[in-house]
Amino acid sequence: MSSIDELMNLDLESITNKSIADYIWIGSEMELRNKSRTILDGPITDPKLLPKWNYDGSSTGQAPGNDSEVILCPQAIFKDPFRKGNNILVMCDTYTPSGEPLPTNKRFNASKIFSHPDVFKEEPMYGLEQEFTLLQKDVNWPLGWPLGGFPGPQGPYYCGTGADKAFGRNIVDAHYKACLYAGIDISGTNGEVMPGQWEFQVGPTIGISASDQLWMARYILERITELEGVILTFDPKPIPGDWNGAGCHTNFSTKSMRSEGGYDVIKNAIEKLGLRHKEHIVEYGTGNERRLTGRHETADINAFSWGVANRGASVRVGRDTEKEGRGYFEDRRPASNMDPYVVTSMIAETSILWKP
Amino acid sequence: MTDLLNLDLSKNTEKIIAEYIWVGGSGMDLRSKARTLSGPVSDPSKLPKWNYDGSSTGQAPGEDSEVILYPQAIFKDPFRRGNNILVMCDCYTPAGEPIPTNKRYAAAKIFSNPIVAREETWFGIEQEYTLLQKDVNWPLGWPIGGFPGPQGPYYCAIGAEKAFGRDIVDAHYKACIYAGINISGINGEVMPGQWEFQVGPSVGISAGDEVWVARYILERITEISGVVLSLDPKPIPGDWNGAGAHTNFSTKTMRAPGGYEEIKKAIEKLSKKHKEHIEAYGEGNDRRLTGHHETADINTFKSGVADRGASIRVGRDTEKDGKGYFEDRRPSSNMDPYVVSSMITATSLL
């Protein structure tokens, strides 16, 4: 019999102009949802030319059953690494039929901040370090960990190799190439301190696109774990005790920070972040208090600190930046389950627009 | 084996293989057999009629068992590829009468009525279906002897604990595009292990042909995967969604400015024939149309804008633009698209 793979790899381009667009959106609990539609008259590369669509919001906790339509607005297009050919992935945001963004639509507000002229001209640039944990299906215990028990303590696993130290590399490597194929600015990967935990980085990317790309990278990752029968979690502290949590360190710079004398602009921004610590922390991911304990390379959630090369601080500045007098800084507070639309726009807003 | 299955015959011979497909005696079972033709054919009227043993499908007595197959629509074969084809057929006695399970014949008469033909009836059919684990007939992804967590996370979901069987769905999408079916989209459904694909917009009788061939391709793919396909409208009783085949419909008049009035008139006519339609909308639909799980109760006719608990739903866009289409949410997943598409047409137009 034909195999499923042969059917998945059918060459449609030589027989039709049709292509498939996979519309992706964020549900009521930051879970990703998708459905696909056929595009008839040739591939589309501009999101503004893609049709708006809609879905049943009553099935995702985003609308009542008797008025259930939620509108999907295409915002960014990526090549589909699963369907390949001219097929695309489309990152969307969500609106009521009368055009109001849903309460769960965090992109709308972020977009307003990024189009503010003072923010726009500073070319705010982001590098997002997404950590994540892989779990075994049905038992929800980390991949590679013995059932009913624990692996040896942390130490050997960070950037480790070997069947006893690195669990799930095929997922990470497939994801790396798939993201590059899709057109995402994926800049690297590494195995993390906790076994079964990994990290990939997206950036440097300017403005709202950093968040569109991170959400799309998360989508591609969960589609790959689905293929592998492995569970993906962005929980910030998946295993309590002497095991690292998972964060999403956010590296940030503006045009001024990257120019001559930028280090002063950086210090000024960090000071402002310090004054708004509570407001930021509330938006930096649910459950972060289980992770930001002051141990395991984190700063305590209640205290704001910063330092050069200090991984125990809330904000870290690299030695290069200090030496050259310009560069970027790293906000280490965001949890792995943070919403990048919220975090990136808030850092830009506090650093550039906010006056104490 | 793969090499043999993928032999490129076009280098050695003009011959092609045609897979003749028909609907069997239950009205839902698809049957097929293949024959060699001397060269490529793209017009169904140029294909030879054929016949099969109706006594083996409950469609003829043993002592007079020939049932004649009339080719009606051709599609490219996504399994054999090359110039090979799938042929949707309908069934006749040797004397040329449509057999009782041949629902296409009466539908074709309705669609060739000049009033109907002129109105260019368009259909979008949303086929829901459930995938079951072989031998145990328990939904794919569900623990044996138990249940998954309640509905909520599964609609349009991704992830190994939320989406079960996507490879079948994705292979089916491309296979149908390849075949020349107007497949317009897919999505994961509310019940885990349940999925939906949409066919349309298709004009007239071709909607029925395309849905049947899409079902055929789907069952051939589940066969490859060792998974069982169910079109039962309520595969699991209790707080689990059923499976339907919502049928979207419009005419030329409905799609033109002011068409909303025509839509409202058609809905009015449908409301008066609720019982007749419901009887033809699929076996076992009473287990599904309860008034819960985004259905309207089977005994009630209700219509509304954006209302997924209604019998007939009109989209907000249609209301706003004053023209468009409406969605009959009553047909179950095991409906016969020839019957439903022609009945909605007849009630609305004739």
Side-chain angles (χ1 to χ4, degrees), chain A residues 26-85:
Chain A
I26 299 164
S28 59
E29 294 177 7
M30 287 188 43
E31 82 285 5
L32 284 159
R33 308 257 183 177
N34 81 310
K35 56 177 187 161
S36 302
R37 68 186 288 173
T38 307
I39 302 292
L40 292 174
D41 298 309
I44 295 183
T45 47
D46 180 355
K48 294 198 250 321
L49 298 178
L50 278 169
K52 288 188 173 128
W53 205 7
N54 63 76
Y55 68 93
D56 172 12
S58 68
S59 289
T60 61
Q62 291 172 302
N66 56 359
D67 189 9
S68 59
E69 272 178 38
V70 174
I71 312 302
L72 288 169
C73 288
Q75 298 292 356
I77 290 178
F78 300 88
K79 284 166 67 68
D80 185 335
F82 306 102
R83 295 194 175 112
K84 304 186 278 284

Side-chain angles (χ1 to χ4, degrees), chain B residues 182-254:
Chain B
N182 270 323
I183 183 167
S184 41
I186 56 156
N187 61 271
E189 268 302 329
V190 177
M191 181 177 121
Q194 204 169 79
W195 295 84
E196 170 180 314
F197 65 89
Q198 305 99 32
V199 173
S202 306
V203 184
I205 194 97
S206 80
D209 292 334
E210 291 187 42
V211 169
W212 274 116
V213 178
R215 288 173 172 180
Y216 174 81
I217 292 173
L218 181 58
E219 196 160 25
R220 286 285 307 274
I221 290 173
T222 55
E223 180 190 311
I224 292 170
S225 288
V227 161
V228 173
L229 173 67
S230 170
L231 293 183
D232 187 272
K234 188 80 173 182
I236 306 293
D239 203 2
W240 303 100
N241 272 33
H246 303 161
T247 301
N248 297 279
F249 175 70
S250 69
T251 61
K252 201 165 181 179
T253 309
M254 293 176 191

Side-chain angles (χ1 to χ4, degrees), chain A residues 17-323:
Chain A
N17 255 347
K18 292 180 183 179
S19 59
I20 304 172
D22 191 6
Y23 280 51
I24 295 151
W25 70 94
I26 299 164
S28 59
E29 294 177 7
M30 287 188 43
E31 82 285 5
L32 284 159
R33 308 257 183 177
N34 81 310
K35 56 177 187 161
S36 302
R37 68 186 288 173
T38 307
I39 302 292
L40 292 174
D41 298 309
I44 295 183
T45 47
D46 180 355
K48 294 198 250 321
L49 298 178
L50 278 169
K52 288 188 173 128
W53 205 7
N54 63 76
Y55 68 93
D56 172 12
S58 68
S59 289
T60 61
Q62 291 172 302
N66 56 359
D67 189 9
S68 59
E69 272 178 38
V70 174
I71 312 302
L72 288 169
C73 288
Q75 298 292 356
I77 290 178
F78 300 88
K79 284 166 67 68
D80 185 335
F82 306 102
R83 295 194 175 112
K84 304 186 278 284
N86 286 323
N87 305 305
I88 56 177
L89 304 177
V90 186
M91 193 64 212
C92 302
D93 63 347
T94 51
Y95 297 80
T96 63
S98 51
E100 295 303 308
L102 295 197
T104 49
N105 177 351
K106 305 301 182 190
R107 189 188 195 281
F108 185 77
N109 209 50
S111 180
K112 287 206 294 198
I113 290 171
F114 284 116
S115 15
H116 187 295
D118 294 343
V119 173
F120 184 80
K121 75 167 189 275
E122 278 291 353
E123 291 171 26
M125 196 180 261
Y126 298 91
L128 303 167
E129 305 173 34
Q130 176 74 70
E131 292 179 334
F132 61 93
T133 314
L134 299 173
L135 307 176
Q136 302 170 52
K137 193 161 172 299
D138 300 332
V139 294
N140 284 356
W141 197 232
L143 190 65
W145 293 36
L147 289 180
F150 292 83
Q154 296 184 150
Y157 311 108
Y158 170 73
C159 301
T161 66
D164 50 341
K165 287 162 276 175
F167 312 123
R169 188 190 300 277
N170 60 338
I171 288 170
V172 179
D173 274 356
H175 178 251
Y176 200 161
K177 283 199 175 178
C179 285
L180 283 172
Y181 179 97
I184 290 169
D185 292 337
I186 183 166
S187 40
T189 66
N190 61 272
E192 268 302 329
V193 176
M194 182 179 119
Q197 205 170 76
W198 296 83
E199 171 179 314
F200 66 88
Q201 306 99 32
V202 171
T205 312
I206 291 180
I208 198 133
S209 166
S211 302
D212 290 335
Q213 292 190 31
L214 186 66
W215 272 114
M216 190 54 70
R218 289 175 173 180
Y219 173 79
I220 291 173
L221 182 58
E222 195 162 18
R223 285 287 307 274
I224 291 174
T225 55
E226 182 189 310
L227 279 169
E228 288 292 292
V230 160
I231 307 296
L232 172 66
T233 179
F234 290 117
D235 187 274
K237 188 78 174 184
I239 306 294
D242 203 3
W243 303 98
N244 271 32
C248 194
H249 304 159
T250 301
N251 298 278
F252 175 69
S253 68
T254 60
K255 200 165 180 182
S256 309
M257 294 175 191
R258 298 189 289 273
S259 321
E260 191 88 21
Y263 195 33
D264 288 327
V265 184
I266 289 174
K267 286 195 278 194
N268 181 257
I270 294 178
E271 203 174 294
K272 288 203 262 177
L273 285 170
L275 293 170
R276 294 194 86 203
H277 177 67
K278 275 202 163 58
E279 288 89 329
H280 276 244
I281 274 289
V282 150
E283 303 287 356
Y284 274 15
T286 332
N288 214 2
E289 67 284 356
R290 291 182 282 120
R291 164 183 163 257
L292 294 181
T293 58
R295 298 166 55 233
H296 301 111
E297 300 165 277
T298 70
D300 180 88
I301 196 169
N302 295 310
F304 182 87
S305 61
W306 76 277
V308 176
N310 182 355
R311 278 180 160 79
S314 318
V315 172
R316 176 174 78 99
V317 173
R319 289 218 173 278
D320 279 350
T321 296
E322 181 192 39
K323 196 168 71 175

Side-chain angles (χ1 to χ4, degrees), chain B residues 300-311:
Chain B
T300 319
F301 182 93
K302 197 162 66 115
S303 75
V305 177
D307 183 355
R308 279 180 159 83
S311 320

Side-chain angles (χ1 to χ4, degrees), chain B residues 89-108:
Chain B
C89 304
D90 63 346
C91 307
Y92 297 78
T93 64
E97 294 301 307
I99 64 174
T101 50
N102 178 349
K103 304 302 181 191
R104 191 186 192 282
Y105 185 78

